[in-house]
Amino acid sequence: MANAFWCIVEDDRQGTPKKVMAEVIGEAARLSRGQTEAVWLTDKASAAGLKQLAEWGATKIRLLESAAFAPYRSEVWVGAAAELAVKEAPRAIFAPVTSRAREFVARLAARLGVGLAADCVAFAMDGERLVATRPVYAGKLLAKTTWAKTPSVATLRPNVFRPAEAQPGRTAPVERPSVTLPAAQMKFVERREEVATGLPELTEAEIVLSGGRGMKGPENYVILEDMAHVIGAAVGASRAAVDAGWRPHRFQIGQTGRTISPKLYMGFGVSGAIQHLAGMRTSKVIVAVNKDPEAPIFKIADYGIVGDLFEVVPELTKEFKKLLEK
Amino acid sequence: MKILVAVKQVPDTATQVKISADPRAIDTTGITWIVSPYDEFAVEEALRIKEKRGQGEVVAVSLGPERVKEALRSCLAMGCDRAIHLNDPAWNGADTLATAKALAAVIQREAPGLVLCGRQAIDDDMGAVPAQLAELLGWPCASWVMEATVDGDGKTARAARQVEGGLEVFDLPLPAVLTAQKGLNEPRYPTLKGIMGAKKKEIRDVKATDLGLAVEPPQLSVVMLEALPPRPPGRILQGDVPTAVKELVRSLREDAKAI
Amino acid sequence: MKLDLSAEQQMIQALAREFAETAIKPIAAEIDREARFPHETVKRMGELGLMGIAIPERWGGSGVDAVASVLAIEEIAKACGSHAAIMSVNNSLYCDPVYKFGTDAQRERFLKPVASGHAHGCFALTEPQAGSDASNQHTLAVRDGAHYVLNGRKQFVTNGREASFALVFCATDRAKAHHGISTLVVEKGTPGFLVPKTEDKLGIRASDTAELVFEDCRVPAENRLGEEGMGFPIALATLDGGRIGIAAQAVGLAAGALERSVAYARERKSFGVPIGHHQMVQWMLADMATAIDGARLLTLRAAALKDEGRPYTTAAAMAKLFAAETAMKVTTDAVQIHGGYGFIKEYEVERYFRDAKITQIYEGTSQIQKLVIARDILGGSR
């Protein structure tokens, strides 16, 4: 029976795997019996990137390198990956939850006629059976799911799984299988960059600051951004703040926004509506600052300050500065 | 142009969900059901495309038990022209792939020029059906679309999909599947006239055998549902702001090691 | 006996609830504080079809029924009493009589724009010296060829400043007392039609309550609703329907106050437990919920009778009486449950308390309702 766990490589589009791959490879390595394979579809892979994958613990790297893979179009990727998957019959196919991987592996699972479990937060082997845990119903429940047959296709929520520690000097063979490249149907027109904030991406950040209705207006987010620059955090917002037009949609955390799972989440003037909790509940440490002691967010917060955020935020920024200067 | 919108009926976010006697399912008593919010963006976009073109037909499709008619009725009230209800116990426990297969079979019969879906349903948050549907149909697919236009002759759609750090714009030859992300539009409320008019519109029941589909076991199934493990009780930091803040920073550094 | 709403009525209720939650609730405190007419949301309510719910589509309305109106007004009132007042007056005090008593030509000119939400209507009956005693009309219309020359003063007219059309009750023949009252539709902008004053009120502060003054105001005779002398029965019939609207408003205010009280009782702690665990609070909440349900059922029954074309005067009076008294009692208790927080503006229950008061007064005070009910049960012999 097939044993290889495939890890679909997400990269920065410049030839370097994203940090989240350490988590995907780490989890795959924990489950596989020594066959943790990185499968990388890219227009260009850097030598450093290949080395990085091996150091994280990939036992083999299957590199599908072609200009046709950029920009990502599902019809091209799926055709190529499916051909390889049918030939190699992996035990599982893992990918991080990213904009393209989530679409790609869903489509790939359909091509292969197997099940897909999206946005998983835990895995366990139950004998020969792989069982995935994933949040459902706005994160109010966890569903344990399993597959009828292999390969088991899954996406993994970032910042949840313990990342593999890189072992310098570890190497892995790089295979360059030849596959048929389907013709692209979609025609690329342009890429529009967001205005760079100099802050990390919301879904990738280890620390996220979030401002809710208590921020009182768009002009006040600058105090969160000041703090974010000090501690290297991303800045998000609640639906109330986004619907009020204070922040663009892409910054919304919650059910109709982004799902995040940072090491540290700090909510300022966020009440903690169910739909917001759905997007940040799996954060490791939760801090809430709200002047309403009854705000529901305090129910899930590890640390809370009942007070005026406009007093707390500058003070906190000052203290973080002091701490990090040490 | 005919546009087909696939919608799912889901529990309202504010509804309390409880695990039923069968640990694989939730107890549906007392649940308020709604059209999944992303699907409303999809319905709105379909209606806007039709209105802009000045002609066409918008068909809403949903899979699920009898109660799903309510969801379809509210799509009709928003302005969809007719609805198809994939209503068959054979689809109980359908996973994303089985759902996609059923939808694909309907789509092959209806032959729309465009299929719109929400980016994911907010009950199981799988977000897989649209891409799987595109795969089964062999159509191109753009997910998490923030802007969409259809050219005059109905041959191409231009869609901007949301990716990390920006938007990627593509031209998709039609037919194609697009999935709606929040920000694509602001869904309309149904008007009272729309609600009254919906009564006269058709909701057609379709069974698996009508589509020539055999019942297949699901590829992915729920073993059990579990309540969330309780979070350890939190601590409200006391004292004036400087004192509370100092204690917070110390705790984050020394106890939680979060910074 | 069936108590189920139709699928359409449920959808209208859900729509009104959703709109109230997302569009009205966030601004309710602000427009109350500033006593500002909410043009933007009222316009959207018009687009949704909430301003002429029971009027047939042909005349710009939504073609639904009185039951749906009640459901919608209740949901709107849960979020804001002012919006509910604006909506209720437009639907039942203006659109209903113009539809019921107007000719097709009048419906075309005076109903269509209002039922479709493009303009507002108001109902001008009360005068400085005559509130409950509606037969005592000092406003006088004297026929002069193809016109009436209108002189007089109307008071406490909801939507008076914003309305494009006023339904004005006036004496056309003083000698005939209440048999000499007629109804004219007077268009805003008619020379001699003035709105000198808007009242500063205790509650429903975002609705406008104006004084209307007519000084030699020439109104075309074709603007008369019904025959000369029919004004009093038109007023009474209209108020019957209007009372159902106010009852719905009262139910909504009470239900909104209860909703907030329940949430507060779950969250607020005293003596180490949520206050909802205390029997005295439970007792109050149970009474509140029961009274609201009773008021709601009376209101829906009156609306259902109206929809079936059956007599509903007494049913409407009972609904209005009971719902208004319930609203006052429930909002008072809601403030009590909130304690000191109930007394300050931040928790908003004080607004429900202030808004509730008017439901005991306008469109017939609670005392007048009792009179109507008593007359009916005594068979006309007082």
Side-chain angles (χ1 to χ4, degrees):
Chain A
M1 127 154 231
N3 280 322
F5 273 63
W6 276 14
C7 301
I8 304 294
V9 176
E10 182 60 74
D11 61 37
D12 63 357
R13 286 125 166 114
Q14 310 292 325
T16 306
K18 287 199 170 185
K19 235 174 51 191
V20 67
M21 291 313 299
E23 298 165 29
V24 177
I25 291 171
E27 184 63 10
R30 195 180 68 78
L31 297 162
S32 73
R33 300 191 180 102
Q35 285 188 54
T36 308
E37 303 183 358
V39 177
W40 195 356
L41 289 79
T42 180
D43 59 331
K44 56 168 186 244
S46 68
L50 291 166
K51 182 163 161 270
Q52 176 76 79
L53 292 171
E55 290 185 348
W56 276 330
T59 55
K60 180 184 279 183
I61 298 165
R62 299 184 187 272
L63 179 62
L64 296 156
E65 201 174 20
S66 160
F69 292 129
Y72 156 75
R73 281 159 296 194
S74 61
E75 69 272 20
V76 181
W77 280 44
V78 167
E83 188 183 317
L84 190 62
V86 168
K87 194 168 138 228
E88 301 294 338
R91 168 73 184 80
I93 301 175
F94 281 10
V97 177
T98 62
S99 65
R100 60 185 184 187
R102 77 167 77 99
E103 181 194 87
F104 163 54
V105 298
R107 200 166 174 161
L108 178 61
R111 172 76 65 98
L112 300 174
V114 298
L116 162 87
D119 202 23
C120 299
V121 295
F123 291 94
M125 292 302 301
D126 172 18
E128 279 305 304
R129 192 169 72 151
L130 180 65
V131 177
T133 302
R134 43 189 312 279
V136 290
Y137 299 104
K140 285 180 269 194
L141 297 176
L142 294 172
K144 295 202 157 161
T145 52
T146 195
W147 290 259
K149 59 176 189 254
T150 63
S152 305
V153 183
T155 59
L156 284 67
R157 183 178 288 194
N159 285 329
V160 170
F161 294 91
R162 194 219 295 254
E165 277 174 35
Q167 285 185 23
R170 185 155 61 182
T171 59
V174 178
E175 272 187 15
R176 295 170 181 264
S178 83
V179 289
T180 322
L181 290 175
Q185 295 170 310
M186 289 165 59
K187 205 171 112 240
F188 179 68
V189 179
E190 59 172 333
R191 184 182 159 98
R192 283 187 241 148
E193 296 296 330
E194 282 161 8
V195 184
T197 55
L199 296 171
E201 228 283 320
L202 199 53
T203 46
E204 296 170 2
E206 293 195 346
I207 305 176
V208 173
L209 312 179
S210 167
R213 201 194 290 277
M215 294 301 293
K216 295 210 165 108
E219 65 282 2
N220 296 325
Y221 277 80
V222 63
I223 62 172
L224 293 188
E225 283 159 6
D226 286 347
M227 188 193 299
H229 281 289
V230 172
I231 55 176
V235 176
S238 72
R239 187 173 88 176
V242 169
D243 285 352
W246 300 348
R247 302 296 277 176
H249 290 304
R250 66 175 192 272
F251 292 121
Q252 184 181 322
I253 296 165
Q255 192 165 50
T256 46
R258 303 293 184 93
T259 301
I260 58 165
S261 193
K263 278 189 187 149
L264 173 60
Y265 165 98
M266 301 176 82
F268 299 93
V270 172
S271 66
I274 293 163
Q275 86 88 34
H276 186 73
L277 303 186
M280 46 65 71
R281 185 165 236 155
T282 51
S283 305
K284 285 198 188 58
V285 178
I286 296 173
V287 174
V289 176
N290 200 306
K291 64 178 182 177
D292 176 8
E294 310 292 344
I297 192 152
F298 285 119
K299 293 203 181 87
I300 65 154
D302 299 287
Y303 301 101
I305 294 180
V306 178
D308 182 356
L309 73 94
F310 293 102
E311 290 173 37
V312 173
V313 171
E315 191 69 24
L316 197 50
T317 306
K318 199 176 85 190
E319 288 298 321
F320 279 141
K321 257 190 202 148
K322 268 201 251 169
L323 178 79
L324 296 169
E325 273 163 14
K326 271 184 202 164
Chain B
M1 185 167 70
K2 187 194 281 186
I3 305 172
L4 190 135
V5 190
V7 302
K8 187 173 185 186
Q9 191 187 41
V10 297
D12 190 0
T13 312
T15 306
Q16 281 207 331
V17 289
K18 280 184 298 222
I19 301 166
S20 70
D22 172 357
R24 295 170 300 180
I26 57 163
D27 182 353
T28 54
T29 42
I31 280 186
T32 313
W33 298 94
I34 58 167
V35 175
S36 185
Y38 295 110
D39 299 346
E40 288 191 339
F41 300 129
V43 171
E44 177 65 33
E45 199 60 24
L47 296 173
R48 287 187 191 190
I49 291 169
K50 177 188 155 182
E51 284 159 5
K52 206 164 159 198
R53 299 176 70 79
Q55 48 88 22
E57 187 186 26
V58 179
V59 184
V61 184
S62 191
L63 181 147
E66 196 56 29
R67 60 171 157 75
V68 165
K69 292 233 159 51
E70 283 169 39
L72 288 171
R73 221 175 276 125
S74 74
C75 295
L76 295 176
M78 278 178 80
C80 293
D81 298 291
R82 61 188 169 89
I84 297 170
H85 183 184
L86 301 174
N87 185 7
D88 191 332
W91 284 308
N92 289 353
D95 62 356
T96 59
L97 193 52
T99 305
K101 281 181 180 169
L103 289 170
V106 168
I107 288 164
Q108 273 157 352
R109 281 164 175 75
E110 289 282 334
L114 178 66
V115 171
L116 284 160
C117 310
R119 70 140 146 115
Q120 69 194 61
I122 62 157
D123 52 356
D124 63 13
D125 282 326
M126 202 69 94
V129 169
Q132 300 196 318
L133 185 56
E135 176 57 34
L136 296 170
L137 294 165
W139 292 3
C141 169
S143 298
W144 292 47
V145 168
M146 298 285 286
E147 293 166 26
T149 50
V150 173
D151 71 348
D153 59 6
K155 293 262 194 307
T156 314
R158 178 162 291 190
R161 71 185 184 198
Q162 191 181 62
V163 298
E164 293 79 5
L167 295 177
E168 287 176 352
V169 184
F170 286 89
D171 280 337
L172 293 83
L174 296 179
V177 176
L178 303 181
T179 84
Q181 159 68 326
K182 183 175 178 179
L184 176 61
N185 55 46
E186 193 57 54
R188 68 196 64 189
Y189 290 99
T191 64
L192 268 63
K193 271 185 205 155
I195 291 171
M196 297 310 284
K199 252 201 304 204
K200 296 169 208 121
K201 294 179 183 172
E202 176 199 46
I203 302 180
R204 186 159 54 91
D205 266 0
V206 170
K207 305 241 171 277
T209 49
D210 298 338
L211 300 172
L213 292 175
V215 182
E216 299 173 31
Q219 287 299 322
L220 190 85
S221 48
V222 175
V223 181
M224 64 180 300
L225 294 172
E226 278 179 354
L228 291 183
R231 279 187 89 94
R235 189 149 73 89
I236 298 290
L237 304 169
Q238 306 294 337
D240 60 6
V241 167
T243 312
V245 165
K246 276 198 184 70
E247 176 56 16
L248 174 62
V249 172
R250 190 204 63 75
S251 305
L252 289 178
R253 177 71 158 198
E254 292 171 19
D255 305 338
K257 306 204 187 324
I259 196 152
Chain C
M1 181 181 190
K2 282 191 77 173
L3 288 172
D4 296 328
L5 299 173
S6 70
E8 288 71 30
Q9 287 163 343
Q10 287 178 48
M11 284 169 81
I12 291 167
Q13 184 180 41
L15 163 70
R17 181 177 300 155
E18 168 92 13
F19 182 76
E21 278 288 317
T22 54
I24 298 179
K25 210 170 177 182
I27 61 165
E30 180 187 317
I31 59 172
D32 169 72
R33 189 168 58 242
E34 296 170 4
R36 175 161 57 79
F37 189 90
H39 290 104
E40 180 53 32
T41 37
V42 170
K43 182 168 169 271
R44 288 179 65 193
M45 283 163 67
E47 288 161 2
L48 292 177
L50 290 169
M51 297 307 269
I53 297 174
I55 303 300
E57 286 193 34
R58 182 178 167 206
W59 305 113
S62 300
V64 199
D65 52 23
V67 167
S69 305
V70 164
L71 299 168
I73 292 171
E74 178 186 337
E75 292 302 331
I76 301 294
K78 263 191 209 168
C80 172
S82 295
H83 276 87
I86 295 163
M87 177 181 168
S88 176
V89 164
N90 207 70
N91 271 287
S92 48
L93 290 193
Y94 183 84
C95 289
D96 275 3
V98 177
Y99 171 62
K100 195 166 168 194
F101 301 104
T103 61
D104 279 2
Q106 289 173 329
R107 289 167 172 171
E108 186 68 38
R109 280 183 60 205
F110 305 135
L111 179 58
K112 231 178 180 172
V114 178
S116 60
H118 292 95
H120 307 309
C122 66
F123 178 86
L125 176 67
T126 300
E127 299 191 351
Q129 78 300 327
S132 297
D133 178 15
S135 60
N136 182 15
Q137 293 286 318
H138 285 204
T139 299
L140 186 66
V142 178
R143 185 72 184 246
D144 177 21
H147 287 81
Y148 286 98
V149 180
L150 189 62
N151 277 286
R153 187 176 289 266
K154 293 288 174 182
Q155 198 165 265
F156 304 149
V157 181
T158 307
N159 293 356
R161 180 172 296 278
E162 298 296 331
S164 303
F165 305 96
L167 211 56
V168 179
F169 293 83
C170 51
T172 40
D173 188 345
R174 276 252 163 80
K176 290 187 182 161
H178 67 269
H179 294 299
I181 294 171
S182 301
T183 313
L184 300 179
V185 183
V186 188
E187 286 184 72
K188 185 66 68 62
T190 310
F193 177 5
L194 311 170
V195 185
K197 182 174 144 202
T198 313
E199 307 293 347
D200 188 10
K201 306 187 293 291
L202 171 74
I204 57 165
R205 291 174 51 77
S207 71
D208 86 281
T209 305
E211 183 176 69
L212 311 185
V213 170
F214 303 96
E215 291 175 0
D216 291 333
C217 179
R218 294 181 66 81
V219 182
E222 74 233 31
N223 286 22
R224 192 190 63 230
L225 213 57
E227 295 303 313
E228 243 184 43
M230 254 182 73
F232 196 62
I234 290 176
L236 291 188
T238 302
L239 285 170
D240 282 345
R243 282 164 190 163
I244 300 176
I246 302 308
Q249 180 193 10
V251 172
L253 285 168
L258 175 64
E259 223 170 76
R260 285 166 186 270
S261 301
V262 169
Y264 191 76
R266 284 200 182 120
E267 279 174 13
R268 172 77 180 178
K269 287 187 178 157
S270 75
F271 305 102
V273 292
I275 60 168
H277 288 207
H278 300 314
Q279 229 173 49
M280 275 187 294
V281 173
Q282 291 176 0
W283 190 319
M284 285 168 89
L285 292 172
D287 279 347
M288 289 157 86
T290 306
I292 291 169
D293 235 18
R296 184 181 286 125
L297 286 169
L298 281 174
T299 307
L300 286 169
R301 181 188 63 164
L305 288 171
K306 184 171 187 233
D307 286 337
E308 287 166 19
R310 293 160 65 186
Y312 67 97
T313 301
T314 308
M318 286 178 169
K320 204 251 176 195
L321 170 65
F322 190 70
E325 296 303 311
T326 295
M328 200 65 243
K329 175 81 170 87
V330 165
T331 55
T332 305
D333 288 348
V335 171
Q336 195 67 24
I337 286 172
H338 282 72
Y341 289 108
F343 199 66
I344 61 172
K345 297 218 180 255
E346 194 182 333
Y347 278 72
E348 296 190 38
V349 282
E350 61 83 37
R351 190 181 76 240
Y352 288 82
F353 169 78
R354 288 185 287 106
D355 285 354
K357 186 65 207 175
I358 191 62
T359 64
Q360 294 177 304
I361 299 170
Y362 65 1
E363 302 197 26
T365 60
S366 288
Q367 290 70 26
I368 290 287
Q369 308 309 325
K370 289 181 187 179
L371 211 66
V372 172
I373 297 160
R375 272 179 194 162
D376 181 49
I377 57 183
L378 291 169
S381 59
R382 286 157 229 184

